[in-house]
Amino acid sequence: MTWNTLDDMDLAGKIVLTRVDINVPVEDGKVTDTTRIDRIVPTIKDILAAGGTPVMLAHFGRPKGQFVPEMSLRVTLPALEAALGQSVTFIERPDRATLEAATGPVLIENTRFSAMEEANDPKMAGFLASLGDIYCNDAFSAAHRAHASTEGVAKLLPNCAGRLMAEELGALEKALGNPQRPVVAVVGGAKVSTKLDLLGNLIDKVDTIIIGGGMANTFLAAQGVQVGTSLCEHDLGDTARDIMDKAATANCTLILPSDIVVAAEFKAGAANEICDVDACPADKMILDAGPKTVETIHAMFNTAKTVIWNGPLGAFEIEPFDKATVAAARAAAEVTRAGTLISVAGGGDTVAALNHAGVADQFTYISTAGGAFLEWMEGKTLPGVAALMQQPG
Ligand code: AMP
């Protein structure tokens, strides 16, 4: 199963409805981070170069089906025009004739101003389809939602993936779909409870899972290790043991910290010490993995062919408890630079952590799609992607 790219489509003279994610941060009426806008530029330019008219569909904020003036996509127009180097026509209420008359790129008002968008109402999907000739989805980050502009309309028009979507799907396929082995997953973060599906899926697909962050505490406690006052889901002992059993059956090695950094309080600069994993004092909490653990992780990266990473190894927002996350991220970047590792990471906190380590641009691929990346790591079918796997009719 595969998807069309822009190269598979005859775009000349066509109106190409292009779902993009330009849900950018805005302060005082100005876009403060243009990353998402910059990333859709190749798709829009390629459609124009092929003689098509790109008509951008996008959501902005959570207006819940109402017109909310401060959630108008109009605010993105200057940044969009600067990124594209040309003017963009903004249309609040589109109709086919206006789009046919457009001479350059078009941006349509926030799709979520209609309640029919999130309801994936066939009426809205049909209306959108009547506006264009081809549907192009370049918003992987919105592909986990079955909405009218991400899924409904895709089923009604010849469809394809935009450049960003194709790049993202290609990188994810390399990391989990059809990876070079051995594959090591790094899974960190606060809680096991939010990553159960993810762990369940990874156990069947990867060779090793390195577990870090608060969720490692739950696994340690489940093995009878004292974790003091650490963040720990003590009630998930059975679940954690079940995951360990399943991993053993599937020949997937689970790696937990062998040494830890402990402190009396969750606070930047808190007095801390390194100890073996089984020596956490009763009045202290585990806030990071220790240097021995980082060495183990580095060694694993040296022999792995693929690393897939979601979640920090410690409380990386408060120094010095960012050390293991930063050191491991730099190790992955180093081995990637050396050319022996494919490294893919994603999720909001993970991107922040890799940026903090200064190595986000040295990974093979970083997905900025939070929810969609997680659902993909969980092995779920993303409706927006599934819709690209088939053509209507
Ligand atoms: P998640 O959103 O599940 O990926 O979790 C990320 C959060 O987990 C970050 O805010 C980290 O500060 C937090 N975290 C990681 N390790 C620990 C830990 N040992 N104790 C408390 N919080 C942690």
Side-chain angles (χ1 to χ4, degrees), residues 188-191 194-195 213-214 217 231 266 286-287 311-312 314-317 349:
K191 291 181 170 179
T194 59
K195 307 234 165 141
N217 304 337
L231 172 70
F266 188 95
I286 304 169
L287 289 179
F316 78 100
E317 302 97 329
D349 278 317

